[in-house]
Amino acid sequence: MPADRRIGFPPVVDAATRLLILGSLPGDASLKAAQYYAHPRNAFWPLIGGVLGEDLTVLPYEQRIDRLKARGVGLWDVIASAERSGSLDAAIRSPEAADLRSLIDGLPALRAVAFNGKLAAKLGRRIIGDVNGVRLIDLPSSSPAHAVGMTIKASSWNSLTDIVST
């Protein structure tokens, strides 16, 4: 059975974005809900909430996005579209890269780009290259498919606190 072409979401950023978090490509639950990190077992919202010191999981999606933007956090993916059956990164075929360089060039306050998972880091670093004054940070994936305990994930994600607290 051929894989369907999946198309990602537009970036969630504004001129005040200091931290850009890049995933690979939204999974099926996210695409169906038209929301970043919509799978109920994806740890993204608890993890970023821990970084911000706010429980974002209790808020409706639109308010979660508003809180991220108010704190200088943006979201996007390194892949604009790809063929994929299911939601696993390992199933991605024929990826089309997102125009990360143009996005980053248009974010004057950007201090760091964090990659949510290994594939996002591998592809994102290749696309972005070096950007003066912008830290590149690899994080363990928030996906439930990445079988690392929440404590380990949170320890790595909490390294973002200094970026959003200033």
Side-chain angles (χ1 to χ4, degrees), residues 90-145:
I92 291 174
R93 301 289 179 261
S94 305
E96 175 192 335
D99 190 1
L100 299 176
R101 286 302 303 216
S102 291
L103 180 71
I104 288 170
D105 289 345
L107 298 175
L110 191 66
R111 295 180 51 211
V113 174
F115 301 104
N116 185 357
K118 287 183 180 180
L119 182 62
K122 177 183 172 185
L123 296 177
R125 285 178 175 276
R126 187 180 310 150
I127 296 165
I128 294 170
D130 289 328
V131 181
N132 281 341
V134 176
R135 288 174 38 203
L136 302 181
I137 303 164
D138 296 1
L139 298 170
S141 175
S142 63
S143 168

Side-chain angles (χ1 to χ4, degrees), residues 143-156:
S143 168
H146 184 62
V148 171
M150 187 64 166
T151 304
I152 293 170
K153 288 181 183 186
S155 176
S156 293

Side-chain angles (χ1 to χ4, degrees), residues 64-88:
R64 292 178 189 189
I65 295 299
D66 290 345
R67 291 305 306 142
L68 290 183
K69 290 171 82 173
R71 297 294 296 275
V73 178
L75 300 176
W76 206 23
D77 292 299
V78 299
I79 299 172
S81 71
E83 294 175 5
R84 182 176 65 197
S85 293
S87 296
L88 297 177

